[in-house]
Amino acid sequence: MNLGRTIKLLREYKDMEQKDLANRIGISRTYMCLIESDKKDPSLRIVRAIADELGVSLGYLFMED
């Protein structure tokens, strides 16, 4: 599973800037960058907020490639 890659691909598909997604869910752009590069594991609360902002289910973010 590659949570960060999935988030990044969905964000780019939605034509959303990294900083905009980060601001919408209340985290820094730097932390979002670390999540997308799989260097940090976000809390479930953050993953749920990301899913909501990207318009997908929580489970969708965890689906295998």
Side-chain angles (χ1 to χ4, degrees), residues 7-16 36 54:
I7 291 169
K8 182 177 181 177
L9 289 173
L10 283 169
R11 177 182 58 74
E12 290 175 343
Y13 177 77
K14 300 276 185 173
D15 199 31
M16 187 181 297
E36 288 186 355
L54 294 176

Side-chain angles (χ1 to χ4, degrees), residues 10-58:
L10 283 169
R11 177 182 58 74
E12 290 175 343
Y13 177 77
K14 300 276 185 173
D15 199 31
M16 187 181 297
E17 294 285 330
Q18 194 177 59
K19 64 180 174 150
D20 294 331
L21 179 56
N23 286 338
R24 289 180 183 186
I25 63 170
I27 63 172
S28 70
R29 190 208 58 81
T30 301
Y31 189 56
M32 179 58 73
C33 181
L34 292 172
I35 292 170
E36 288 186 355
S37 62
D38 287 315
K39 293 180 180 172
K40 289 286 184 180
D41 292 323
S43 69
L44 183 57
R45 180 191 66 79
I46 291 174
V47 176
R48 187 179 315 270
I50 290 170
D52 288 346
E53 286 297 326
L54 294 176
V56 298
S57 69
L58 187 62

